[in-house]
């Protein structure tokens, strides 16, 4: 939370500065003004963001919980290899898959539904375990279910419950801590979900472009002032050095 607050009050020049970690070097409300302009450009922006975050969180929590329970309790041939492949996917940055993912969505409709410029793409990826940081969430659920006693499932099986009923009524309620952790992490990270080309090309691009121009104008003016000050200092030092050498 402190990191998010720190980013909100940073100057755009400090966001990409690796030396600025927690406390901004230059305080600015430019990010808040840009966010306010984006939210004011369209009255449905806040509702769409909340709806997208909530629905994506629910879908991804259910999908990763089912995957984690399957890897831990439902042993099948090759389950261990598949789990290690899932963990290995953490080493692949999302940017490395962005172009290939967009090409796949553009050329392969999902049940005759075009996924480009469509928010269904995010729901589909979350449902099939390819959402935001799904691998680490699958690992968390697997470890949570592994720590639960096997006697709970045996008792449910004696009472006549099947695999689905045991998971939904016995195992999932005992994983409330993991569900809360995953949900909070998904909601806080929903703003960083890659767009996958689903932005509306007319209104969204125009509002983002205007706010980006506004940010660039202020950043450029700040950069010009800093560059001018640096030029004056360097020039004065060079002139002082040349005069000293002549003397």
């Amino acid at each position: 939370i402190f990191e998010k607050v720190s980013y909100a009050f940073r100057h755009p020049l400090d966001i990409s500065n690796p030396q600025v970690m927690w406390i901004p070097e230059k305080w600015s409300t430019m990010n808040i003004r840009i966010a306010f302009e984006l939210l004011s450009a369209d009255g449905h922006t806040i509702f769409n963001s909340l709806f997208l975050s909530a629905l994506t969180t629910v879908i991804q929590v259910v999908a990763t919980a089912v995957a984690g329970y399957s890897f831990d309790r439902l042993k099948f041939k090759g389950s261990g290899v598949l789990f290690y492949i899932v963990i290995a996917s953490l080493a692949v940055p999302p940017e490395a898959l962005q172009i290939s993912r967009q090409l796949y969505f553009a050329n392969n409709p999902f049940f005759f539904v075009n996924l480009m410029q469509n928010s269904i793409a995010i729901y589909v990826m979350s449902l099939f375990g390819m959402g935001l940081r799904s691998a680490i969430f699958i690992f968390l659920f697997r470890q949570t279910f592994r720590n639960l006693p096997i006697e709970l499932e045996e008792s449910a099986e004696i009472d006549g419950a099947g695999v689905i009923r045991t998971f939904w009524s016995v195992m999932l309620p005992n994983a409330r801590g993991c569900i809360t952790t995953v949900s909070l992490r998904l909601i806080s990270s929903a703003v960083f979900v890659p767009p996958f080309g689903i932005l509306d090309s007319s209104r969204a691009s125009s509002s983002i472009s205007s706010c980006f121009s506004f940010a660039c104008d202020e950043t450029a003016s700040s950069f010009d002032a800093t560059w001018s000050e640096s030029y004056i200092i360097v020039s004065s030092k060079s002139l002082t050095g040349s005069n000293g050498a002549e003397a």
Side-chain angles (χ1 to χ4, degrees):
I1 297 176
F2 184 81
E3 184 182 9
K4 303 301 182 185
V5 175
S6 175
Y7 270 104
F9 289 98
R10 288 185 189 182
H11 192 271
L13 293 176
D14 289 341
I15 293 179
S16 59
N17 188 358
Q19 296 180 349
V20 180
M21 296 297 295
W22 297 103
I23 301 176
E25 184 177 346
K26 184 176 180 181
W27 296 83
S28 175
T29 59
M30 186 185 302
N31 298 322
I32 298 177
R33 283 180 286 169
I34 292 175
F36 182 77
E37 288 196 15
L38 284 174
L39 294 176
S40 301
D42 189 354
H44 301 287
T45 305
I46 298 179
F47 174 77
N48 292 338
S49 300
L50 294 176
F51 180 79
L52 178 66
S53 302
L55 186 57
T56 304
T57 299
V58 172
I59 294 175
Q60 195 159 347
V61 166
V62 174
T64 53
V66 171
Y69 179 76
S70 301
F71 280 125
D72 181 54
R73 302 298 194 189
L74 306 179
K75 297 297 182 180
F76 53 91
K77 188 176 182 179
S79 61
V81 177
L82 288 177
F83 178 73
Y84 286 120
I85 292 175
V86 171
I87 297 301
S89 66
L90 291 172
V92 181
E95 293 79 9
L97 303 175
Q98 185 172 0
I99 296 178
S100 60
R101 184 184 290 121
Q102 289 182 352
L103 292 175
Y104 183 82
F105 286 166
N107 299 322
N108 297 276
F110 181 75
F111 287 101
F112 305 102
V113 177
N114 186 15
L115 297 180
M116 293 299 295
Q117 296 186 359
N118 197 336
S119 59
I120 298 178
I122 299 178
Y123 306 143
V124 170
M125 294 186 64
S126 300
L127 181 62
F128 289 97
M130 290 297 295
L132 187 66
R133 300 183 180 90
S134 290
I136 189 64
F137 298 147
I138 292 174
F139 174 77
L140 290 177
F141 274 112
R142 177 179 179 269
Q143 296 303 113
T144 300
F145 292 132
R146 171 164 290 191
N147 293 328
L148 295 178
I150 193 67
E151 288 78 12
L152 294 175
E153 294 180 273
E154 293 176 350
S155 300
E157 186 177 355
I158 293 174
D159 292 337
V163 176
I164 299 177
R165 181 62 182 275
T166 301
F167 168 75
W168 185 259
S169 301
V170 178
M171 303 300 289
L172 200 59
N174 286 282
R176 290 188 295 268
C178 186
I179 293 174
T180 303
T181 302
V182 172
S183 300
L184 292 177
R185 183 59 180 172
L186 284 171
I187 293 174
S188 63
S189 302
V191 68
F192 299 109
V193 174
F196 305 125
I198 64 171
L199 290 176
D200 189 287
S201 57
S202 57
R203 292 179 297 177
S205 59
S206 61
S207 60
I208 292 175
S209 299
S210 60
C211 292
F212 180 74
S213 301
F214 168 76
C216 288
D217 291 340
E218 287 207 13
T219 305
S221 60
S222 175
F223 177 78
D224 291 338
T226 305
W227 186 86
S228 301
E229 294 174 0
S230 303
Y231 179 77
I232 293 173
I233 293 173
V234 172
S235 300
S236 61
K237 286 186 178 181
S238 61
L239 291 174
T240 304
S242 62
N243 294 333
E246 292 177 359

